[in-house]
Amino acid sequence: MKEQLEKIEALAKEELNSCKEIKALDDLRVKYLGKKGELTAILKQMGKLSAEERPVIGQLANKVRADIEQAITEKVAVLKADAQAEKIKAESIDITLPGKKQSLGKLHPMTVVENEIKDIFMGMGFNIADGPEIDDDYHVFEALNLPPDHPARDTQDTFYITDNILLRTQTSSVQVHVMETQKPPIRIISPGRVYRSDAVDATHSPLFHQIEGLVVDKGITMSDLKGTLEMLMKKIYGNNCKLRFRPHHFPFTEPSCEVDISCFNCGGKGCSMCKDEGYIELLGAGMVHPKVLEGCGIDSNIYSGFAFGLGLERMVMGRYDINDLRLLYENDLRFLEQF
Ligand code: PHE
């Protein structure tokens, strides 16, 4: 019986050593120490022993039980610690790994220049006005004294939605919206998108941006227009830039002019950028036509005004020496990151 007990202990420990899961340890406990276990089976035979042998074997049996019990407890602790270590390892974060780079966005060059222009005009007491991009024939053409047979109304040039509704071809429509709702003194600029049915090339796009300006008050003259535009251009292009006012025709201004600026590239001497002109055309302007004022309910005997519409893309291209309009719309980061 002594050998049997020793054999049980040896077997139990061997099995214990190869145990890799806590669940298997429970099975092992039942197998050796349980009510129907191997140790119990031996103890049941104690009755057959002599009176001298019984305490010796009894003591040994208790020791074997305690040893196996302790070995199992220790193994449980080891397996638990292993499992914990495994878990920590699996969940660990390598703090030496480089982080994901967050790149900081920046304003589009068009937005930069638009904001600058807004700041300059706000400094001169102008408000910013907004108007619809989808408008009716009345606001885009009729109220601006553009007769029905005017070429700007041609379906070739204009995106019509219905006979009466269209994408505005010019921000001048905002002049009408403003004068319908505000009474003089009026001092606004209105930046926004305009649409013309043009094919895309280096200087044309069916969508582009204008900034409209409108001042209506008592005693407004052409010199107010000149002074205002000179102030704008000197702030944007520096004190050396020169403006040239050329007579022109717009149906909604009288007199009308086109305004050129001395070439950003050559300063007026003539180069390939200005096609040897020395000047680059930037905007259309003039004194608001009395018919337009009257149509909006403003007495042209009391009030006069000037208006201008400048192409934002041109301003930006001149400012940053960009030679292709398309670059402004393609949103290629290699281009945009340069500003
Ligand atoms: N709307 C004109 C254009 O698009 C520009 C302009 C605006 C001219 C205001 C005179 C006054 O060409």
Side-chain angles (χ1 to χ4, degrees), residues 158-284:
T158 307
F159 292 112
Y160 283 92
I161 291 164
T162 67
D163 283 349
N164 187 39
I165 305 291
L166 55 133
L167 299 183
R168 67 180 178 191
T169 57
Q170 49 183 357
T171 45
S172 297
S173 53
V174 185
Q175 290 184 35
V176 181
H177 285 287
V178 168
M179 287 190 281
E180 278 173 346
T181 51
Q182 295 175 35
K183 292 300 135 212
I186 292 169
R187 245 184 261 127
I188 60 103
I189 58 161
S190 186
R193 283 186 279 257
V194 297
Y195 304 84
R196 290 182 196 175
S197 180
D198 270 329
V200 178
D201 65 23
T203 52
H204 292 88
S205 160
L207 177 161
F208 60 103
H209 298 73
Q210 288 187 330
I211 298 184
E212 193 77 10
L214 174 69
V215 170
V216 182
D217 204 349
K218 287 177 185 155
I220 297 294
T221 68
M222 196 88 178
S223 50
D224 295 308
L225 169 68
K226 287 184 77 175
T228 305
L229 290 178
E230 254 185 59
M231 169 78 116
L232 168 72
M233 296 309 171
K234 292 209 153 129
K235 289 224 168 172
I236 298 266
Y237 295 110
N239 278 331
N240 290 334
C241 78
K242 287 198 287 287
L243 292 190
R244 183 172 75 178
F245 290 73
R246 273 182 296 108
H248 198 74
H249 168 76
F250 295 104
F252 39 92
T253 46
E254 182 58 35
S256 304
C257 59
E258 273 189 332
V259 182
D260 307 332
I261 185 170
S262 49
C263 177
F264 325 106
N265 194 36
C266 63
K269 287 188 210 79
C271 68
S272 63
M273 191 163 169
C274 58
K275 300 191 185 89
D276 280 328
E277 282 263 332
Y279 281 87
I280 291 172
E281 182 203 321
L282 268 192
L283 58 98

Side-chain angles (χ1 to χ4, degrees), residues 137 140-153 170 251-252:
D137 179 276
V140 182
F141 296 131
E142 200 182 323
L144 288 167
N145 197 27
L146 275 116
D149 55 354
H150 193 278
R153 290 181 162 216
Q170 49 183 357
F252 39 92

